[in-house]
Amino acid sequence: MLSTGLGPLGSTFNRRRSATTNNNDPPSESTNGSSPTGMVHISDKSRSKSLLRERDSKIAALEKEVLSLRNQISNHNSEPAITYGSGNRRGKHLTPYGNTVRVSVSKCSAKRRQLLAERARMGRNASIATQNALNALPDEIGGGGGGIGGGGFSSQQALIDRIQDMFRSPHEHVHYLKSEQFAKDMLKLNKKVRAVLEDEPRCVFLQSPAYVFGDIHGNLEDLHFFSDNVWNLGMSLTAGNFVFLGDYVDRGMSCLEVVSYLLAMKLMLPQKVFLLRGNHETRDVNGWEEHYGARSYIAQCRERFGEEIGYKIWESTNQTFDRLPLAAVVDQDIFCVHGGIPRPISDSSVEGGRIKDILNVSKVAGINPPYEHEDDSYQQVASDCIWSDPASEEQEQYSVDRRTGYGDSLRGGGAICFGHKAVTNFLQQQGFSYIMRAHEAHAEGVAVSKGARVFTVFSTSKDHNQGNNAMAGCILIDFEKMQVINRSPAYRNQYVHRRDSVSIAMLSEAEIAERVKLGLITSDPRDEEFEEEEFEEFEEEDDEELQDSSFEDEEYVIDDRRKSSVDPCGTRASPEKGSHDSHDYMMEGNDVSQRIDFSDGTGRKSKKRGGFDTIREDEEDDEESTVGDDDMGPFDDDENHYYGGASTGMSPGMRRVGI
């Protein structure tokens, strides 16, 4: 039997062929009779060909019908439901409008729930609305237990939100800045950021566009300037990366606010915000209370939170500083560091060179003072990165080694300087074009040296004797272009510190109450005692909770017997005859040898804050803490004292200089 593989059609054909064959077969005859067998075979072959041609024609007709039906279905789906007279137009064009449906409650007494349809133009708010909807999802989605979308993520986001709200309007969050919640947030923030930093190499690599910032030194006003003019939509919505070159604390009176904000941004945007380490991110410097007085980071921690809790926050922050990267490379072309280029400790011809030396520095490095596990050679590399300076022209002629290009810095204390030859060798060996560093104040905010190959960026305009016309600057690296952004001296911040001209120490309670009613006293001193007692209670009762963020790191122990490559007690704030005046804040009659060395944490912990401030007021601009006794308020044209000694120009300004 012939098999066609056509299912029922093939079966019908076989049945017809069988029936035809049976009807036309002649009766069988004996072998002795004659029968026309040749004619029968010819007839069957002709009939089979005819049936095959008939089958093929039917198949072709069915295929044509199927194709026609498919085209009809396709045309039907592509036609709009309502054409509104547009006969030739097929389908709808995209429009900038979106339709949404929301649940609403009727205004009648029944309070029935109803669905309302809305049509609104879609724009930038569409993505923000989506983000708000995602944030509103319950914590259980995503698994919970601290994972992404779980309770841990929600708690982390709440912490970041509190810090951001404080930064946007510090005058409205004075109570939070002095509260136990802020103390807990600082401990939690440091613990979370440490985990992020441990995954970063000692030299990070990133691409432009990138904004590079220099020293900030606890200056909240200048940081607000950059926030208002560089990332006014927020860092997450601003194109490019952000590189901070270190020195976030000391000298300024808002160190806690600056550190908490930058760490919160690092926690929120770990692949976008990069915090490098400066010489003030070491215990020997930011714990040097005798030198900086109330402007030291440790003094501000103790003043804000008390002796014990303040020390825990200070030590927890320094453990975070121990994990900060030392350098960054932008576009494989621009080397960013706080101080300068390190001396080579291995053969310069070896692939990697100085970058490899930096990458080999311990993941956790105390530097000043060092940990027991730190190698002396790599400890020198780390010290050079945070302490070195470009050599002056006089040093180039007389003190810089002409063979290596390095010499002793005028800063003293074992710090080094690097000259033209050192810069040339480093750039050629690594294949870089420029070096960007901080560490030195300049009235213009940005300075250029060494044949326009070394840029010095300084992002604070105060506390360095540069005068009221000093600028704070940063540099935007945008592929093949570099642009300098300066804060104009005419720029005034939105908030200023108000100062009381009359002491209330001798007033009675009745007189104080009367002046509070009249608005002559903005805070009742009788409430301060209650707040202090409440915080003391927090220190006792919540001590167990703080143990979760313990500041004792058993794995890493500071070696009290080892000396650092650079001795901060023997250094100046800037090289002598440098670009700005030296800050030698010692009391009269003191010399370098009489300064107290805080190389061990025990001595620092037992040290009580002295009742003196060695910064003379005639040398520095008047500045007070964000949470000091004076309140903050909107700017008043009649106010004689401006926050940080800012200029009295009316219009905020920002100067950009293309390079």
Side-chain angles (χ1 to χ4, degrees):
M1 181 179 292
L2 179 64
S3 176
T4 63
L6 297 177
L9 183 62
S11 301
T12 303
F13 169 74
N14 292 332
R15 286 195 297 270
R16 286 179 179 176
R17 181 174 182 273
S18 177
T20 305
T21 304
N22 293 334
N23 292 335
N24 292 282
D25 284 346
S28 55
E29 298 179 357
S30 62
T31 56
N32 296 330
S34 62
S35 62
T37 56
M39 294 295 298
V40 172
H41 288 302
I42 294 173
S43 177
D44 290 344
K45 186 176 181 180
S46 176
R47 189 177 294 108
S48 298
K49 290 181 178 180
S50 176
L51 291 175
L52 287 173
R53 284 194 295 269
E54 180 183 358
R55 181 204 63 178
D56 292 340
S57 63
K58 289 183 178 179
I59 293 174
L62 290 174
E63 289 178 346
K64 185 176 181 179
E65 184 178 0
V66 169
L67 180 61
S68 176
L69 291 175
R70 285 179 177 175
N71 292 334
Q72 293 179 14
I73 294 173
S74 177
N75 294 335
H76 179 75
N77 291 337
S78 62
E79 291 179 357
I82 302 177
T83 61
Y84 296 104
S86 56
N88 297 329
R89 187 173 62 183
R90 301 174 63 182
K92 283 187 177 182
H93 293 290
L94 294 177
T95 65
Y97 293 90
N99 298 306
T100 59
V101 179
R102 64 182 178 88
V103 179
S104 178
V105 179
S106 63
K107 297 181 179 179
C108 62
S109 58
K111 301 294 182 182
R112 294 188 179 91
R113 299 182 65 187
Q114 55 188 1
L115 296 177
L116 295 180
E118 295 179 345
R119 186 171 186 263
R121 186 179 180 88
M122 294 186 299
R124 183 176 295 165
N125 291 334
S127 60
I128 299 177
T130 302
Q131 184 63 42
N132 292 336
L134 294 176
N135 292 338
L137 294 175
D139 294 342
E140 288 76 14
I141 296 179
I148 296 178
F153 178 78
S154 176
S155 174
Q156 174 176 307
Q157 187 60 44
L159 186 154
I160 294 174
D161 291 342
R162 286 193 294 270
I163 299 296
Q164 285 187 304
D165 292 341
M166 173 276 297
F167 179 77
R168 294 189 191 101
S169 55
H171 72 290
E172 297 178 358
H173 294 81
V174 174
H175 178 72
Y176 166 70
L177 289 169
K178 295 196 289 187
S179 68
E180 62 182 69
Q181 181 63 57
F182 184 54
K184 294 178 182 178
D185 287 348
M186 283 294 294
L187 293 172
K188 294 177 182 178
L189 185 62
N190 279 289
K191 186 175 182 180
K192 291 178 178 293
V193 174
R194 282 199 294 268
V196 174
L197 294 175
E198 286 180 353
D199 292 334
E200 289 186 349
R202 297 304 86 195
C203 180
V204 295
F205 300 87
L206 59 141
Q207 294 181 338
S208 63
Y211 294 90
V212 181
F213 301 87
D215 297 28
I216 297 176
H217 282 303
N219 185 349
L220 195 62
E221 181 184 4
D222 285 334
L223 191 59
H224 264 289
F225 162 77
F226 293 117
S227 173
D228 295 339
N229 294 278
V230 177
W231 63 86
N232 59 327
L233 294 178
M235 287 187 176
S236 59
L237 296 178
T238 302
N241 298 308
F242 299 88
V243 182
F244 295 86
L245 300 181
D247 276 13
Y248 315 114
V249 297
D250 296 332
R251 293 198 177 99
M253 296 300 294
S254 301
C255 297
L256 284 161
E257 290 82 354
V258 169
V259 168
S260 61
Y261 176 72
L262 293 179
L263 292 181
M265 293 301 98
K266 178 63 181 177
L267 181 62
M268 182 175 72
L269 305 167
Q271 303 301 323
K272 191 179 181 71
V273 177
F274 299 92
L275 305 178
L276 305 188
R277 191 173 189 179
N279 60 305
H280 281 262
E281 280 70 64
T282 59
R283 292 171 178 83
D284 280 349
V285 179
N286 62 47
W288 195 358
E289 191 173 355
E290 285 69 27
H291 184 69
Y292 295 105
R295 295 171 182 263
S296 68
Y297 183 53
I298 190 172
Q300 294 180 32
C301 290
R302 285 171 168 162
E303 179 69 23
R304 185 80 58 88
F305 304 112
E307 190 71 25
E308 296 297 325
I309 303 300
Y311 176 77
K312 288 182 178 181
I313 293 175
W314 174 82
E315 175 60 27
S316 178
T317 307
N318 273 289
Q319 288 187 15
T320 305
F321 291 162
D322 291 341
R323 292 158 172 81
L324 290 176
L326 295 170
V329 177
V330 181
D331 292 339
Q332 290 293 332
D333 190 56
I334 300 176
F335 179 72
C336 300
V337 70
H338 177 74
I341 53 180
R343 290 166 288 182
I345 62 173
S346 57
D347 188 0
S348 301
S349 61
V350 178
E351 184 179 1
R354 247 75 66 84
I355 298 299
K356 185 176 181 181
D357 293 341
I358 296 174
L359 291 172
N360 287 333
V361 173
S362 175
K363 282 278 190 178
V364 180
I367 306 179
N368 298 111
Y371 285 109
E372 290 181 347
H373 68 273
E374 291 184 58
D375 181 83
D376 289 337
S377 298
Y378 292 109
Q379 201 265 345
Q380 171 191 298
V381 172
S383 294
D384 291 349
C385 287
I386 66 176
W387 280 103
S388 59
D389 299 288
S392 64
E393 293 302 324
E394 184 178 354
Q395 286 179 291
E396 289 276 10
Q397 296 179 7
Y398 300 107
S399 61
V400 171
D401 188 335
R402 298 185 181 277
R403 182 179 57 86
T404 63
Y406 292 93
D408 293 333
S409 173
L410 297 175
R411 189 181 294 270
I416 65 163
C417 65
F418 50 92
H420 280 285
K421 185 173 182 60
V423 172
T424 301
N425 291 340
F426 175 78
L427 294 178
Q428 290 180 351
Q429 291 166 4
Q430 302 299 151
F432 300 154
S433 299
Y434 300 102
I435 297 171
M436 287 192 181
R437 41 96 60 179
H439 200 40
E440 287 185 279
H442 291 273
E444 296 293 330
V446 174
V448 183
S449 61
K450 304 306 172 194
R453 295 177 297 174
V454 177
F455 292 82
T456 298
V457 189
F458 213 70
S459 300
T460 177
S461 59
K462 301 189 305 180
D463 307 313
H464 289 81
N465 288 340
Q466 296 299 299
N468 291 334
N469 291 326
M471 303 180 188
C474 74
I475 296 180
L476 168 61
I477 303 172
D478 191 5
F479 301 101
E480 296 182 353
K481 296 181 180 180
M482 290 187 292
Q483 189 174 43
V484 176
I485 303 174
N486 281 340
R487 170 187 168 175
S488 168
Y491 177 85
R492 291 191 307 182
N493 210 19
Q494 182 181 0
Y495 304 104
V496 298
H497 289 284
R498 299 188 180 276
R499 293 168 171 81
D500 296 330
S501 58
V502 179
S503 175
I504 61 176
M506 304 303 294
L507 298 180
S508 64
E509 291 188 3
E511 292 173 325
I512 292 175
E514 183 66 23
R515 283 164 173 76
V516 170
K517 292 180 181 179
L518 296 174
L520 300 177
I521 300 177
T522 55
S523 62
D524 193 341
R526 295 171 296 181
D527 297 336
E528 296 178 1
E529 182 179 358
F530 171 78
E531 293 179 359
E532 184 68 23
E533 292 176 357
E534 183 179 8
F535 199 79
E536 291 293 339
E537 184 179 353
F538 154 76
E539 292 181 8
E540 296 177 2
E541 293 184 357
D542 294 352
D543 190 64
E544 292 183 0
E545 180 178 346
L546 295 179
Q547 295 298 327
D548 296 337
S549 299
S550 175
F551 59 90
E552 297 294 340
D553 220 337
E554 298 180 358
E555 185 177 355
Y556 305 104
V557 180
I558 291 177
D559 191 348
D560 301 335
R561 299 167 296 178
R562 291 177 59 187
K563 291 185 178 181
S564 305
S565 298
V566 177
D567 181 13
C569 295
T571 62
R572 299 174 183 269
S574 64
E576 189 178 0
K577 301 179 182 179
S579 59
H580 63 289
D581 295 335
S582 173
H583 284 242
D584 196 354
Y585 297 147
M586 295 189 305
M587 298 292 289
E588 293 182 6
N590 285 4
D591 56 20
V592 174
S593 62
Q594 292 176 324
R595 294 176 178 173
I596 300 176
D597 184 9
F598 278 134
S599 60
D600 63 312
T602 306
R604 219 178 261 109
K605 182 177 180 181
S606 60
K607 170 75 177 66
K608 299 291 184 180
R609 181 186 168 215
F612 62 88
D613 183 355
T614 57
I615 301 179
R616 295 188 294 274
E617 293 184 359
D618 58 344
E619 292 182 350
E620 292 295 325
D621 298 331
D622 290 335
E623 182 185 4
E624 298 185 11
S625 171
T626 307
V627 296
D629 294 334
D630 302 320
D631 294 332
M632 300 181 69
F635 191 86
D636 187 353
D637 290 339
D638 297 331
E639 185 65 52
N640 294 324
H641 300 281
Y642 303 103
Y643 176 63
S647 172
T648 59
M650 291 301 297
S651 61
M654 177 174 61
R655 192 174 74 167
R656 295 175 182 263
V657 181
I659 299 179

